[in-house]
Amino acid sequence: MKQNLEEGVDIFSLQDQDRFEESSHDFVPKSFDDYLGQKELKDKLSLYTQAAKMRKEPLDHMLLSGPPGLGKTTLSQIMAQVMGVGIKICSGPMMERTGDLVAILSSLEPRDILFIDEIHRMPTQVEEVLYTAMEQFRIDVIIGQGAGAKSINLPLAPFTLIGATTKSGMISAPLHSRFGINERLDFYTDEELCEIVMQSADFLELAIDTDSALLIASSARGTPRIAKKMLRRVRDFAQVKNHNKATLELTKQALAFLGINEDGLTKMDLLLLKKIVELFNGGPVGLETLASLFGEDKDTIEAVYEPFLMRKGYLEKTARGRQIPHKRLPYLKQKFLGQMVI
Ligand code: ADP
């Protein structure tokens, strides 16, 4: 099981190598026009950004929530670009001590953006430093130890905190209430992802037809990061096998090579469905039970697997748990159990 988990999870993961590939070998949207999809959100953020720029004030503190890879960091970089200010990017779990956060906060220039990814994973004592920093642009720093310790009040440049989270429900109430703007990013439609794939292909100088781009888009779980990662692998195939031209046949081959079937399902998706078919005759089965059988935590099942399986019509949520829709069950029974069901 562990072996399978590690094999299948690659397409969702973000290793340092991926970040490097994303930023140095792929198209990175630098303006709201380049950033495709999320139209409503983009319109709002573009307006807030322009207004703050006209007033020469920092943007309001902002919480961006939504699954990984949907473009929260990219949007924040675009906002900094439009405002003409600097942006510092760090992540909640990286800040182990209050000193780590104090060092970053005191290095900010007026109106700079501090982007904290996975802000829900910041240790509580570090988070508490943010309260006065966000509200009053100052922090209290303790210098020295024991009886000689002194508290110094340190003023900060007025800045904007953008917190990104995959789990907005895990943000503490005091932190949550300090964000003036609270927005959520949704999964992209296949058409939006197709445009993103075409945009990247153009940058990578890869010839790709619409059908191939749509196949990548419909396999990419509503997520630009996954679409772009798949495209880079399709490009490897095209470069070696077809003079840098991605045809539908070649795209299918490349996706199969990545362990993605014609419906966009990975080995892990299939394994999850197999458990529901084999052990629960298609369900319903509770999320907790499913998570423990699958060897994953339930947040990962909810954030990574379920949305895509539901979108593809392979899973539905009922009051009694998760189940495979009736119309899909015969096909899956045949596939996993070799049962002919009439
Ligand atoms: P998040 O911060 O939500 O995890 P990122 O901003 O790091 O996501 O985006 C992941 C990748 O997807 C980056 O390579 C980024 O350039 C690309 N991307 C995200 N959203 C878009 C978009 N709307 N249009 C084009 N590329 C996008």
Side-chain angles (χ1 to χ4, degrees):
M1 178 74 164
K2 189 74 193 148
Q3 176 65 32
N4 281 338
L5 280 173
E6 278 161 5
E7 269 174 23
V9 102
D10 171 60
I11 201 76
F12 314 128
S13 75
L14 183 69
Q15 314 290 341
D16 287 348
Q17 159 76 6
D18 297 321
R19 274 252 186 251
F20 176 72
E21 267 197 306
E22 271 177 10
S23 57
S24 56
H25 296 311
D26 206 340
F27 179 76
V28 178
K30 296 260 179 346
S31 68
F32 284 115
D33 286 340
D34 286 347
Y35 186 95
L36 306 170
Q38 309 287 351
K39 170 124 181 41
E40 258 178 52
L41 174 62
K42 220 169 63 164
D43 288 349
K44 279 194 210 168
L45 298 185
S46 165
L47 185 105
Y48 302 154
T49 315
Q50 282 178 52
K53 188 177 179 185
M54 286 163 87
R55 289 194 300 262
K56 298 194 171 49
E57 282 176 6
L59 268 169
D60 238 353
H61 300 304
M62 190 180 304
L63 183 65
L64 294 178
S65 51
L70 295 196
K72 299 181 285 298
T73 316
T74 309
L75 262 181
S76 306
Q77 286 166 321
I78 293 172
M79 287 190 272
Q81 176 98 4
V82 172
M83 297 269 299
V85 300
I87 178 165
K88 294 230 156 92
I89 298 181
C90 57
S91 91
M94 256 170 54
M95 280 186 279
E96 289 171 1
R97 282 179 291 257
T98 52
D100 300 332
L101 178 61
V102 169
I104 297 177
L105 285 171
S106 49
S107 73
L108 296 173
E109 300 284 333
R111 301 192 300 138
D112 272 3
I113 293 177
L114 172 61
F115 178 89
I116 306 185
D117 204 7
E118 298 191 78
I119 196 162
H120 61 277
R121 291 180 57 200
M122 195 154 54
T124 315
Q125 75 277 12
V126 181
E127 180 184 310
E128 282 167 1
V129 174
L130 274 181
Y131 301 163
T132 52
M134 289 169 80
E135 229 161 36
Q136 299 162 21
F137 300 124
R138 62 170 187 82
I139 38 178
D140 292 315
V141 189
I142 311 278
I143 296 186
Q145 282 180 339
K150 268 199 307 192
S151 170
I152 294 185
N153 195 261
L154 201 71
L156 300 172
F159 71 102
T160 300
L161 175 72
I162 302 186
T165 181
T166 48
K167 294 179 192 141
S168 56
M170 280 178 68
I171 306 270
S172 72
L175 181 58
H176 204 280
S177 65
R178 283 172 169 84
F179 289 106
I181 302 171
N182 187 346
E183 295 290 345
R184 196 179 162 78
L185 279 82
D186 290 323
F187 286 114
Y188 291 65
T189 63
D190 289 355
E191 290 69 30
E192 287 167 342
L193 282 182
C194 182
E195 271 192 70
I196 291 175
V197 167
M198 291 294 218
Q199 181 192 50
S200 263
D202 199 32
F203 176 84
L204 297 171
E205 296 181 355
L206 170 73
I208 188 166
D209 55 72
T210 319
D211 286 346
S212 309
L214 252 181
L215 178 63
I216 296 175
S218 68
S219 307
R221 315 179 85 87
T223 307
R225 171 174 294 144
I226 298 179
K228 289 182 149 186
K229 192 165 166 177
M230 284 177 176
L231 180 71
R232 291 195 297 268
R233 299 292 77 82
V234 168
R235 177 205 193 203
D236 292 341
F237 255 69
Q239 190 148 15
V240 173
K241 294 179 189 270
N242 205 28
H243 310 291
N244 229 11
K245 202 163 174 269
T247 59
L248 187 57
E249 201 39 51
L250 183 128
T251 305
K252 282 182 183 167
Q253 274 179 33
L255 294 187
F257 186 76
L258 290 174
I260 296 162
N261 80 1
E262 63 288 355
D263 240 354
L265 305 190
T266 63
K267 286 180 194 153
M268 295 304 291
D269 295 319
L270 291 170
L271 193 63
L272 187 87
L273 294 175
K274 190 171 178 209
K275 295 253 173 239
I276 304 178
V277 171
E278 263 179 2
L279 305 174
F280 303 96
N281 194 29
V285 48
L287 179 61
E288 307 252 347
T289 314
L290 195 58
S292 69
L293 277 169
F294 196 52
E296 272 286 5
D297 64 90
K298 69 183 176 44
D299 291 335
T300 307
I301 305 235
E302 271 191 302
V304 175
Y305 298 100
E306 264 187 11
F308 189 64
L309 288 172
M310 284 166 53
R311 189 170 164 149
K312 290 280 176 183
Y314 278 99
L315 199 66
E316 59 192 11
K317 273 188 197 174
T318 71
R320 290 168 51 226
R322 274 59 177 168
Q323 75 178 20
I324 291 170
H326 292 307
K327 68 173 183 355
R328 291 283 194 189
L329 196 54
Y331 163 74
L332 292 178
K333 275 189 167 169
Q334 189 185 353
K335 181 175 176 66
F336 297 133
L337 310 175
Q339 271 181 22
M340 289 301 290
V341 183
I342 303 155

